[in-house]
Amino acid sequence: MTDLLIRGAEVDIAIADGVISAIGPQLESGKNEVDARGLAILPGLIDVHVHFNEPGRADWEGAETGSRAFAAAGGTLFFDMPLNSSPCTLTKADFAEKCRALQRSSITNFGLWGGIVPGNHAHLAELGACGAVGFKAFLCDSGLPEFPRADDLTLYEGMLEAARMGLPVAVHAESEEITKALSNRLIAADRTDIPAFLQSRPVLAEVEAIERASLLAREAKCKLHVVHISSGRGVTAALEARSRGTDISIETCPHYLFFTQEDLLKVGAILKCTPPLRCANQRDVLRDFLQRGLVDIVASDHSPCPPDMKHKDSFFAIWGGIAGIQSTLAVLLQRGLPLLDIARLTAANPAKRFGIADRGALQVGNKADFVLLDTAAPYTLQPEALLQRHPVSPYLGHRFQGVVRQTYRDGELIFSNGKIVTETRGKLVTPIHAKSGTHA
Ligand code: ZN
């Protein structure tokens, strides 16, 4: 018996036991029925890159508020990065601790990244066995002493191990040698303003790191996922690596598509992130790659912090991270992308790349994760609409079109017309990769 029937403009979707049981015109009524004619139906967002910082730094966000904000934005499954929780996710015990914490607090489903740092190589296999979606490494200083950057050998050997398990390695691609030396030089000359920060992290630092990581991944026969590519040249470097045989996926974030470094100069700390926002030309080339279908995944990289960490005398000392989890769909709709492309960037490609077998697309047999979207409704983002812990977002005051009316996770309504409406919790989602044929 169908539990829920969504009446769409062209087809209906029937849901039984949290799974899509039928899609077609004029399906028979279910126990409950929702009239979604006039609304678009998209797969629930799979955000492969968030920092909810739980356990240990839930005062920065936490999954309780983070997952609510995510659900309000059409999200049903997020992958939490191995930092800035405390402990960082570097061992099986860290993984279990984070999993327990998120099972208590998250209203959406979640996957967990493990980390690659010097010295934790022996723990990668157990992290994979726990169900990690992949491994994240920093090629430059992460800002957290307990998550040191991966030198080339650490990264390469981590990639060999990840390849053995069929899991991807994600890299924050900026050259430590370039960014560190430029930062030190500028700070020594008493240059700690925003232009100095921008100078310290040039596009070249991103391109060099993408090329190096691509070479190592190709040698290791490892899937490489480059997170938050900030520039057109960064995407070009990744595409060139693909043409040479690297199995590489390209992620960018809404803020790199929406803002430029001129906005950073005007707005300041809430737009500080690394790699930094770029000039209008690089932003426009990035937009063009997106439009042409050459970007694989758009993820929020939601990375909030307590507001006082955004107030320091030196711009270099200000915490880098943009809190924008509720604006991913808004930015993509503003780019005028067809809904099918948006679904591919935010759900289908993430599911495919990370081995999430039964989510990411509206098809019979998949889990019923979806969002009802009023694409015609305009709004201006106001602080009271933000469900995250600190109502800070660079998108506040901006005008968008496309309001999320409802979000369903596993067939259950979790967000409806501005309010969280569930008392239940999400669960850990683990990948299935071709290499092992079983849960990784
Ligand atoms: Zn991040």
Side-chain angles (χ1 to χ4, degrees):
M1 169 72 177
T2 297
D3 301 319
L4 175 65
L5 186 80
I6 308 293
R7 287 247 182 255
E10 284 156 31
V11 291
D12 302 339
I13 299 180
I15 291 139
D17 295 325
V19 172
I20 298 175
S21 55
I23 299 178
Q26 307 292 321
L27 296 179
E28 248 176 67
S29 296
K31 280 188 227 159
N32 293 299
E33 200 165 313
V34 174
D35 185 355
R37 287 169 297 189
L39 300 177
I41 310 175
L42 290 178
L45 269 60
I46 301 176
D47 192 332
V48 306
H49 189 163
V50 309
H51 301 264
F52 286 165
N53 309 327
E54 184 174 349
R57 288 192 179 88
D59 55 321
W60 291 27
E61 180 64 272
E64 178 158 348
T65 48
S67 69
R68 281 163 173 73
F70 183 45
T76 50
L77 169 61
F78 65 85
F79 297 169
D80 195 68
M81 282 292 168
L83 69 170
N84 314 300
S85 52
S86 181
C88 295
T89 317
L90 299 174
T91 68
K92 182 180 169 179
D94 302 335
F95 190 101
E97 189 179 342
K98 181 179 278 193
C99 191
R100 278 195 301 274
L102 267 51
Q103 276 164 346
R104 281 194 296 270
S105 58
S106 178
I107 65 161
T108 67
N109 292 324
F110 55 90
L112 301 184
W113 286 95
I116 294 176
V117 297
N120 86 322
H121 186 82
H123 295 282
L124 300 184
E126 66 190 30
L127 284 165
C130 289
V133 294
F135 302 97
K136 167 81 175 287
F138 269 74
L139 305 195
C140 61
D141 184 359
S142 77
L144 274 195
E146 64 268 38
F147 199 98
R149 80 180 180 94
D151 56 87
D152 290 350
L153 186 62
T154 295
L155 180 61
Y156 175 64
E157 290 180 344
M159 285 172 162
L160 286 174
E161 186 71 350
R164 198 182 56 73
M165 292 180 268
L167 290 170
V169 166
V171 291
H172 175 128
E174 282 186 292
S175 157
E176 171 74 355
E177 299 224 333
I178 293 173
T179 56
K180 179 68 87 195
L182 285 174
S183 301
N184 288 345
R185 185 192 294 169
L186 287 154
I187 291 167
D190 259 344
R191 291 279 318 282
T192 59
D193 50 9
I194 300 175
F197 167 73
L198 286 168
Q199 271 177 47
S200 74
R201 308 191 89 98
V203 170
L204 176 65
E206 177 169 66
V207 171
E208 188 278 337
I210 290 171
E211 291 193 352
R212 183 158 36 91
S214 299
L215 169 65
L216 298 176
R218 190 157 70 243
E219 286 285 318
K221 298 188 168 49
C222 171
K223 293 177 195 160
L224 177 65
H225 179 67
V226 186
V227 299
H228 55 48
I229 297 186
S230 66
S231 62
R233 285 191 63 197
V235 175
T236 302
L239 292 172
E240 284 171 1
R242 182 177 290 162
S243 73
R244 284 195 290 271
T246 304
D247 180 350
I248 190 168
S249 47
I250 296 168
E251 172 196 304
T252 192
C253 309
H255 40 272
Y256 297 116
L257 296 164
F258 194 82
F259 298 106
T260 64
Q261 62 187 34
E262 283 68 37
D263 297 311
L264 173 66
L265 291 165
K266 269 186 250 151
V267 174
I270 60 167
L271 277 177
K272 181 181 174 183
C273 57
T274 57
L277 297 169
R278 302 302 188 185
C279 66
N281 178 47
Q282 286 298 322
R283 191 268 315 261
D284 292 347
V285 178
L286 184 65
R287 283 178 167 181
D288 187 51
F289 279 126
L290 181 86
Q291 228 78 31
R292 289 160 54 200
L294 295 169
V295 169
D296 301 307
I297 290 174
V298 173
S300 70
D301 192 10
H302 179 71
S303 186
C305 63
D308 63 343
M309 292 177 72
K310 286 288 190 186
H311 298 284
K312 307 273 178 199
D313 291 337
S314 163
F315 200 75
F316 285 83
I318 286 172
W319 182 260
I322 288 180
I325 194 160
Q326 281 183 235
S327 298
T328 300
L329 278 178
V331 170
L332 293 175
L333 287 163
Q334 194 227 30
R335 298 304 327 131
L337 289 179
L339 291 175
L340 269 178
D341 286 354
I342 293 178
R344 186 176 50 77
L345 289 161
T346 59
N349 284 355
K352 205 152 82 183
R353 182 60 167 169
F354 293 97
I356 307 302
D358 50 1
R359 301 178 194 272
L362 298 173
Q363 60 192 45
V364 173
N366 269 9
K367 297 285 196 287
D369 291 347
F370 59 94
V371 47
L372 303 184
L373 182 71
D374 185 347
T375 53
Y379 69 98
T380 300
L381 189 64
Q382 303 291 350
E384 51 273 22
L386 296 177
L387 301 190
Q388 63 213 50
R389 183 171 301 279
H390 307 290
V392 174
S393 160
Y395 300 101
L396 284 175
H398 286 273
R399 198 158 171 75
F400 297 104
Q401 189 165 323
V403 172
V404 171
R405 296 294 183 206
Q406 295 192 322
T407 306
Y408 293 78
R409 180 255 297 139
D410 294 309
E412 182 191 340
L413 181 64
I414 59 171
F415 172 82
S416 184
N417 293 311
K419 291 201 169 50
I420 297 298
V421 294
T422 182
E423 295 294 322
T424 67
R425 294 292 176 267
K427 56 182 182 301
L428 178 73
V429 170
T430 59
I432 297 169
H433 280 280
K435 209 147 213 177
S436 54
T438 58
H439 286 261

